[in-house]
Amino acid sequence: MGELRPATPPQRPETARPRSEPDPTVAPPSGEEVHGIARHLATLAVHSGATARDDAELRALLVRSPGDGIALNYAALPRWDAGASTDRLGHVADRLRALGEWPSLLIAEVDDAPAGLSEQLPAAGWTPVGRETVLWVGAASVVPHLDPSLRIEAVQPRSVDDHQDLEAAVFGLGKREGTARRRAFAMALQGGDLRAYVVRINGEPVAVARVSVGPKDAGLYGIGVAEAWRNRGVGTLLTTVATRAGMALGKRIVWLSVEDTNDGARRMYERLGFRQLFRWGRWVTRDR
């Protein structure tokens, strides 16, 4: 048998993707992009069946999904004149009460008007019920080696139930609204503005994520890992894949939001290159 070894050592082709990637210099989001991200954040509820429209009377964005609680019924992105906040807050509270909802506000500190509105809310009778920070990235990390038994799939109609069951378990979502939630999720996927992913290991769904497609950016949310599979790098892998999926859609900026109390997730996202952009919070009145 002849010599099977090549005459010269094999060389990586010049077109091959590098094994490691330098940290590229990416310009941070412009003011216009930041405002676009804030609006994208405020309208994520549409993927769960809510409607979102600019309300001229409130001078704010009004998000509605009747009877589905403060997470899907709120005012956001107010555009109020300085000195008019007290009256405007009263209008928001009265309007939402008339609609049968507990008054709720989503305030992005980078985008509230007038400036400093969050500082005025406690004295006006509003209480914070959640604080998060939006992080952004302009380049995705390298995907680590994949275990042969691991599979990442884009959610299709046949895998809607697997995604929704695991998402409900990870985030403690109740079963009462499960049917409506699945229907809204499937419709959002068909509309093209939402992508979703499931990680399977040996066929078992172990992690989920959503990618919301905005006009100029992509937002990651609903990133969750089954309890038995946490702290094994699955969340890091899925976040990296979802980030690359957003960029593959032609979006310059990919962002996500993390609870201010979730230090572990914050550290993981920062290891992947995400950087702080702005903080936001959800507020409710102290009485309905």
Side-chain angles (χ1 to χ4, degrees), residues 128-140:
V129 293
R131 301 282 293 178
E132 297 193 18
T133 298
V134 170
L135 310 177
W136 74 278
V137 73

Side-chain angles (χ1 to χ4, degrees), residues 2 12 27 33 45 48-49 68 89 100 130 150-151 154 160 165 181 187 219 225 234-235 237 264 276 283:
R12 284 172 58 83
E33 288 174 319
S48 298
D68 286 332
L89 287 168
L150 185 148
R151 177 182 177 186
V160 164
D165 288 344
R181 187 176 65 244
M187 291 179 62
V225 180
V234 177
L237 171 63
Q276 181 168 332
W283 297 72

Side-chain angles (χ1 to χ4, degrees), residues 88-158:
R88 288 290 176 184
L89 287 168
H91 289 322
V92 168
D94 291 344
R95 178 73 170 278
L96 286 167
R97 288 189 184 105
L99 292 171
E101 307 295 345
W102 197 297
S104 176
L105 269 173
L106 188 154
I107 300 294
E109 293 182 359
V110 72
D111 217 41
D112 57 354
L117 178 59
S118 296
E119 299 172 2
Q120 304 173 35
L121 291 174
W126 293 75
T127 300
V129 293
R131 301 282 293 178
E132 297 193 18
T133 298
V134 170
L135 310 177
W136 74 278
V137 73
S141 298
V142 176
V143 176
H145 174 71
L146 302 182
D147 185 289
S149 68
L150 185 148
R151 177 182 177 186
I152 302 174
E153 62 182 56
V155 175
Q156 302 296 325
R158 65 180 179 276

